[in-house]
């Protein structure tokens, strides 16, 4: 398993003159102030560059096929067997992709399982491909400059100062409409483009075409078992496999462990795998002595005692978000809502790396994959299960103290998932999402499609915090096999009228403690957040009070922004879009500061 790879390919589309040489390690140092190792190679009118913070691999060329990228394949054995390739588990992922391309062409990308973004150059046919994995775990961008096309793992590798000055207002409107998660071709810059999840760019004869090769909505068929135990067993098998594929053998890995179901499930399965695999797993957890309502040690202690383990506890009572704001939050390629909690996550990851545990797992996306929603009541009515639907609505209404009649109207009679998640029904995103979801069979699948499409905030942690700490961060719940399984099984396995995350809770009973599996309310960090705000309010307010979103982008009014800031400071409920606006404001101010300093 490799660490973070940064890579870039540049090529002329009109002649055989190689593009100018680029110092990729200098660009990375300017972005993160870290040192990397790099390799480069020129072929005809093309130049390829790759750099890594650890374990740098050479650029792979095999039979006139060149592949470079950030690749971690999880189904090598299946590919060996299916395509009659001599089994060699030491073969690099890059070389295996070259061999597959020679056999089946670019259709190979439909066969890949894992996390990857890569560039493939077919020298014989002068074709370029840039491919991003199905769930968008890795990043990939491109631009066209006169007669040159540049493809890179990160936006900052594409950008000269001229390009960075030309902001794309449409991007910020879409970022706002989508509440901070964007996976379209748009980036903050007009002339730089994203390759979306499950898509690839093809360049032939100087012309570009982006195509979709995987979409969750295209998965057909259902999985139906005779009893719940079969669903539980299949789910555990897939989650265990996903966890194993993300652990580094021959060393100690770590997990960012809370007392919730998601991270504790990953930890427990990893501990079970320790007995048969050559690796170790160590929990690293944030704890609180003063802010006791945020502390989950009782739950964590019970679990680690079950596995005769010891956790690394980090006291966060005085390790606050917004310390030295805004200087403490590093500038990134684009705004991200996770930047607000940078110091919290950074300190956990940094401590883990200092112990030597630089391959790190998280429970991220458990909520996206497993929570479900009451919209399944509509599926039940559609299938003639009226009594079951009314039971779900009644129990949900009692637990949430909401109107059963209103819930029946919203979730069962006139369900509208786009409207449930997107407040502006006149925006382009609402229209495109509505069109997409009409092609999906049931409401459970519609809701899951939306959730997985929006599980992208991990990228800030992976790319920014991973780079700064020298770590590799993985999320076992974001696994194509697991996502496709959950998409095809009945919706009540996700959303139970009694327990949230029903399939996870029930399937993990023998792996976790009863205190964890019986806990249905999430521990919040509200007290921690507001202590952080109060302690650093002057810096926050002075930096954030003048709204660029209002003045330049016209997303909101200046008065609205001032009112939201004051409500946030006083602990009063703010808009669901507040953190999205905050991250846009912060990024734009950092962007202009960077431009002006240069």
């Amino acid at each position: 398993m490799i660490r973070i790879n940064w890579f870039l390919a540049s090529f002329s589309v009109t002649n055989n003159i190689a593009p100018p040489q680029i110092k990729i390690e200098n660009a990375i140092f300017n972005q993160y102030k870290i040192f990397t190792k790099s390799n480069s190679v020129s072929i005809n009118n093309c130049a390829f560059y790759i750099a890594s913070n650890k374990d740098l691999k050479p650029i792979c060329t095999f039979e006139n096929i060149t592949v470079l990228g950030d690749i971690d394949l999880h189904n090598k054995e299946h590919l060996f067997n299916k395509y009659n390739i001599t089994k060699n588990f030491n073969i690099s992922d890059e070389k295996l992709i070259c061999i597959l391309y020679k056999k089946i062409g670019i259709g190979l990308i439909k066969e890949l399982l894992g996390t990857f973004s890569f560039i493939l150059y077919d020298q014989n046919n002068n074709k370029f491909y840039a491919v991003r994995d199905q769930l968008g775990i890795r990043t990939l961008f491109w631009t066209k400059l006169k007669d040159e096309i540049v493809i890179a793992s990160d936006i900052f590798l594409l950008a000269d100062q001229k390009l960075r000055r030309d902001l794309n207002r449409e991007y910020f409107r879409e970022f706002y409409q989508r509440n901070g998660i964007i996976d379209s071709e748009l980036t903050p810059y007009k002339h730089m483009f994203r390759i979306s999840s499950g898509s690839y760019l093809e360049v032939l004869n100087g012309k570009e075409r982006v195509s979709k090769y995987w979409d969750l909505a295209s998965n057909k068929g259902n999985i139906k078992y005779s009893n719940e135990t079969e669903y539980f067993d299949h789910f555990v098998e897939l989650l265990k496999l996903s966890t194993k594929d993300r652990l580094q053998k021959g060393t100690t890995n770590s997990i960012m462990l809370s007392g919730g179901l998601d991270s504790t499930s990953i930890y427990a399965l990893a501990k079970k795998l320790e007995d048969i695999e050559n690796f170790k797993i160590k929990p690293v957890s944030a704890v609180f002595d003063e802010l006791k309502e945020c502390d989950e040690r009782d739950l964590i202690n019970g679990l680690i005692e079950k596995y005769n383990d010891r956790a690394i506890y980090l006291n966060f009572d005085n390790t606050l978000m917004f310390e030295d704001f805004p200087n403490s939050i590093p500038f990134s390629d684009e705004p991200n809502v996770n930047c607000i909690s940078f110091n919290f996550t950074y300190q956990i990851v940094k401590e883990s790396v200092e112990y030597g545990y630089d391959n790190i797992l998280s429970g991220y996306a458990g909520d996206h994959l497993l929570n479900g929603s009451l919209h399944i009541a509509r599926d039940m009515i559609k299938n003639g299960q009226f009594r079951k639907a009314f039971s779900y609505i009644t129990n949900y209404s009692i637990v949430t103290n909401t109107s059963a009649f209103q819930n029946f109207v919203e979730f069962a009679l006139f369900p509208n998932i786009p409207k449930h998640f997107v407040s502006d029904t006149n925006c382009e995103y609402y229209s495109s999402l509505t069109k997409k979801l009409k092609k999906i069979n049931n409401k459970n699948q519609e809701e899951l499609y939306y959730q997985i499409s929006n599980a992208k905030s991990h990228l800030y942690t992976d790319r920014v915090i991973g780079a700064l700490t020298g770590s590799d961060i993985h999320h076992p719940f974001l696994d194509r096999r697991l996502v496709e399984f959950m998409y095809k099984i009945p919706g009540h396995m996700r959303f139970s009228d009694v327990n949230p995350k029903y399939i996870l809770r029930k399937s993990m009973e023998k792996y976790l403690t009863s205190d964890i599996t019986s806990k249905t309310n999430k521990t919040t960090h509200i007290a921690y957040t507001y202590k952080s705000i109060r302690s650093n309010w002057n810096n926050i307010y002075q930096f954030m009070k003048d709204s660029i979103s209002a003045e330049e982008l016209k997303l909101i009014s200046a008065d609205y922004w001032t009112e939201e800031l004051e409500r946030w400071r006083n602990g009063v409920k703010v808009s669901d879009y507040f953190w999205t606006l905050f991250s846009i404001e912060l990024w734009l101010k950092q962007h202009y500061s960077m431009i002006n300093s240069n």
Side-chain angles (χ1 to χ4, degrees), residues 10 41 65 67 87 126 210 234-235 418 426 466 477 533 545 583:
S10 177
V41 64
I65 306 298
V67 172
K87 287 187 179 180
N126 198 30
V210 176
H234 194 166
F235 174 80
N426 294 316
F477 286 111
I533 295 170
K545 64 180 180 178
S583 63

Side-chain angles (χ1 to χ4, degrees), residues 27 95 384 406:
K95 185 172 181 180
Q406 290 179 346

Side-chain angles (χ1 to χ4, degrees), residues 463-482:
R463 300 302 289 184
V464 177
I465 296 181
L468 292 172
T469 58
S471 61
D472 203 4
I473 304 170
H474 306 276
H475 320 285
F477 286 111
L478 284 178
D479 183 276
R480 175 184 163 187
R481 296 160 294 192
L482 196 57

Side-chain angles (χ1 to χ4, degrees), residues 424-517:
D424 183 2
T425 57
N426 294 316
C427 72
E428 172 60 28
Y429 175 53
Y430 177 84
S431 300
S432 62
L433 182 62
T434 299
K435 184 178 180 180
K436 168 62 71 174
L437 296 188
K438 282 182 178 178
K439 299 178 181 179
I440 298 177
N441 290 331
N442 61 57
K443 295 300 173 184
N444 169 63
Q445 290 180 326
E446 286 185 30
E447 192 269 344
L448 180 56
Y449 180 90
Y450 171 83
Q451 293 291 352
I452 295 302
S453 297
N454 283 269
K456 300 289 186 294
S457 64
H458 67 88
L459 293 171
Y460 182 86
T461 303
D462 298 355
R463 300 302 289 184
V464 177
I465 296 181
L468 292 172
T469 58
S471 61
D472 203 4
I473 304 170
H474 306 276
H475 320 285
F477 286 111
L478 284 178
D479 183 276
R480 175 184 163 187
R481 296 160 294 192
L482 196 57
V483 169
E484 290 178 347
F485 171 75
M486 294 303 301
Y487 188 76
K488 292 179 179 180
I489 66 175
H492 70 268
M493 299 304 296
R494 295 177 66 222
F495 187 86
S496 164
D497 62 338
V498 178
N499 293 317
K501 299 183 181 176
Y502 181 67
I503 192 170
L504 181 65
R505 196 175 301 276
K506 297 296 292 183
S507 65
M508 295 302 297
E509 283 180 342
K510 66 180 180 180
Y511 298 95
L512 303 176
T513 63
S514 60
D515 287 344
I516 293 174
T517 56

Side-chain angles (χ1 to χ4, degrees), residues 161-344:
Q161 291 304 315
K162 182 178 179 181
L163 287 178
R164 281 195 166 187
R165 291 178 185 275
D166 203 357
L167 292 182
N168 186 350
R169 291 171 180 258
E170 183 59 32
Y171 166 87
F172 295 99
R173 281 193 287 272
E174 182 167 333
F175 188 88
Y176 179 53
Q177 291 167 0
R178 293 192 57 156
N179 208 7
I181 303 294
I182 190 167
D183 192 35
S184 70
E185 69 169 12
L186 299 178
T187 74
Y189 309 103
K190 284 185 179 179
H191 304 293
M192 303 182 207
F193 309 100
R194 182 193 330 274
I195 296 176
S196 302
S197 306
S199 299
Y200 71 98
L201 168 72
E202 178 182 14
V203 183
L204 177 62
N205 297 324
K207 296 184 178 180
E208 323 82 47
R209 182 182 66 181
V210 176
S211 302
K212 192 84 171 171
Y213 72 92
W214 182 90
D215 189 349
L216 182 59
S218 299
N219 280 265
K220 304 301 180 184
N222 297 309
I223 296 174
K224 292 185 178 180
Y225 290 136
S226 59
N227 59 70
E228 288 189 340
T229 301
E230 292 182 84
Y231 291 110
F232 300 153
D233 290 345
H234 194 166
F235 174 80
V236 170
E237 176 189 340
L238 290 174
L239 185 56
K240 188 180 292 185
L241 182 61
S242 175
T243 300
K244 181 174 76 71
D245 286 339
R246 288 161 174 81
L247 288 161
Q248 187 172 13
K249 293 185 178 181
T251 188
T252 299
N253 306 262
S254 70
I255 180 166
M256 293 183 279
L257 186 69
S258 71
L261 268 174
D262 302 332
S263 61
T264 54
S265 296
I266 301 298
Y267 167 74
L269 292 178
K271 291 300 291 184
K272 288 292 184 181
L273 288 166
E274 274 188 344
D275 298 333
I276 54 177
E277 301 285 346
N278 179 28
F279 62 77
K280 297 292 182 183
I281 185 81
K282 181 62 67 173
V284 182
S285 304
V287 297
F288 303 85
D289 292 329
E290 173 194 339
L291 305 171
K292 293 189 181 298
E293 61 266 54
C294 303
D295 191 72
E296 295 183 293
R297 257 174 298 191
D298 288 346
L299 295 169
I300 296 170
N301 283 338
L303 182 65
I304 63 175
E305 287 173 9
K306 178 181 176 73
Y307 289 100
N308 298 313
D309 202 359
R310 295 180 65 184
I312 298 170
Y313 285 138
L314 309 177
N315 187 285
F316 269 68
D317 282 318
N318 295 301
T319 303
L320 303 177
M321 298 186 294
F322 309 113
E323 289 286 330
D324 191 29
F325 182 86
N327 302 319
S328 58
I329 299 179
F331 181 72
S332 56
D333 280 341
E334 53 189 323
N336 194 295
V337 291
N338 275 12
C339 72
I340 312 302
S341 58
F342 167 78
N343 199 40
F344 184 88

